[in-house]
Amino acid sequence: MIYATLIEPFVEYGFMRRALIACLALALGGGPIGTFLVLRRMSLMGDAMSHAILPGAAIGFLVAGLSIWGMSVGGLVAGLAVVLLAALISRATALREDASLAGFYLISLALGVLIVSVRGSNIDLLHVLFGTILSVTDDALILVASIASVTLVALAVIYRPLVIESFDPAFLRATTGGGAAWHVVFLVLVVVNLVAGFQALGTLMAVGLMMLPAAAARFWAGAVWSLCALSTALAFLSGFAGLLVSYNFSLPSGPSIILTAGILYLGSIVLGTRDSLRTRYFPRAHFHD
């Protein structure tokens, strides 16, 4: 019974194995990125950037059809353009970066929906917005795995300055003067991982597997490295469990994965060992000699 429920779908069906591998790659790349987004209080900016890739992905879809590389290049160009423009505007004017990014994100989202609606169909729009992880191809797996590998290597290189910049950017600027450069590199990694996520889950859900496990991890771990590791593990667990729920109950796979991550997040809020509702309102009794 356990084998038939938990293991057999991935043994018997190639599309389930590819979907599980895609979830693993997304967890490896998106888990640490989501952790730093939470630490830097940029969670909603991650959501905004996930929508910013829509017009580029839509143009790539209309030009090249379901070409993995066409949609990825289009989404990457659009996402990087929005991120760099928002950063430039925030430094050239008095507008804060989050407000600048929100403005460009809304423009990008509306433009992407307009392009697909005018030149495509409702099915095309649903594919771009929500993805189809059960139809992930070998080319898509190579792309997602490559992005995860590049992300892990890049984070290993910039880990120390990125941690310092996340907690004390003034100190990093005073000692090295490179705070802005690390911030831009991090934003590029966010966009690249959102492009990888959109291939499997669509633009509207790509950020979910990145942010929900990272937010849940905050209720269980404290050190940055443990947050990254736990976020990755929770993201993969969400993918594994969500795929099984989708398979056994004939439900859409993308929403099943994100809702599973949401359940883990809500459970962490209630039961976590750090600053959860349980520890705040039902603390352990202290025994004294």
Side-chain angles (χ1 to χ4, degrees):
M1 189 70 178
I2 295 177
Y3 173 83
T5 303
L6 302 181
I7 301 175
E8 186 178 22
F10 303 106
V11 174
E12 296 293 331
Y13 300 104
F15 68 89
M16 290 290 288
R17 287 195 297 274
R18 287 192 293 271
L20 185 63
I21 294 171
C23 288
L24 175 59
L26 291 174
L28 289 172
I33 293 295
T35 297
F36 280 104
L37 283 172
V38 172
L39 292 176
R40 298 160 73 90
R41 299 181 180 180
M42 295 174 60
S43 300
L44 292 179
M45 291 180 69
D47 181 63
M49 285 185 280
S50 72
H51 293 75
I53 68 176
L54 180 59
I59 293 174
F61 179 76
L62 294 177
V63 171
L66 293 175
S67 169
I68 295 299
W69 302 106
M71 295 176 67
S72 297
V73 170
L76 181 61
V77 170
L80 291 178
V82 168
V83 166
L84 295 177
L85 281 173
L88 179 63
I89 294 298
S90 67
R91 282 162 175 75
T93 68
L95 193 65
R96 290 175 59 89
E97 187 175 22
D98 57 343
S100 177
L101 185 61
F104 283 109
Y105 133 69
L106 291 170
I107 294 171
S108 298
L109 179 61
L111 179 61
V113 173
L114 180 64
I115 291 172
V116 177
S117 299
V118 172
R119 298 296 303 276
S121 65
N122 290 333
I123 296 177
D124 298 338
L125 181 60
L126 290 176
H127 174 84
V128 174
L129 292 177
F130 299 105
T132 51
I133 194 170
L134 292 182
S135 62
V136 170
T137 64
D138 292 338
D139 287 341
L141 280 182
I142 293 173
L143 175 65
V144 175
S146 299
I147 289 176
S149 300
V150 171
T151 299
L152 291 176
V153 172
L155 286 176
V157 172
I158 68 172
Y159 179 79
R160 290 179 65 87
L162 188 59
V163 170
I164 297 173
E165 207 262 338
S166 298
F167 291 100
D168 195 350
F171 174 78
L172 184 65
R173 286 194 299 268
T175 54
T176 67
W182 302 123
H183 182 66
V184 171
V185 171
F186 174 69
L187 290 179
V188 170
L189 289 176
V190 173
V191 172
V192 169
N193 278 272
L194 288 173
V195 169
F198 121 81
Q199 291 292 346
L201 297 172
T203 58
L204 291 183
M205 295 189 183
V207 73
L209 200 61
M210 181 182 293
M211 297 310 310
L212 286 171
R218 289 285 286 166
F219 294 98
W220 299 97
V224 176
W225 69 267
S226 60
L227 283 170
C228 292
L230 183 56
S231 177
T232 299
L234 290 176
F236 179 65
L237 177 61
S238 300
F240 176 75
L243 287 173
L244 289 176
V245 170
S246 171
Y247 174 81
N248 288 298
F249 296 97
S250 300
L251 297 173
S253 54
S256 297
I257 292 172
I258 302 304
L259 286 175
T260 301
I263 291 172
L264 292 176
Y265 169 64
L266 294 176
S268 299
I269 293 176
V270 177
L271 301 174
T273 57
R274 296 176 58 90
D275 299 322
S276 66
L277 295 178
R278 178 179 65 84
T279 59
R280 177 164 295 187
Y281 295 104
F282 302 97
R284 287 184 176 182
H286 296 282
F287 297 96
H288 301 281
D289 294 332

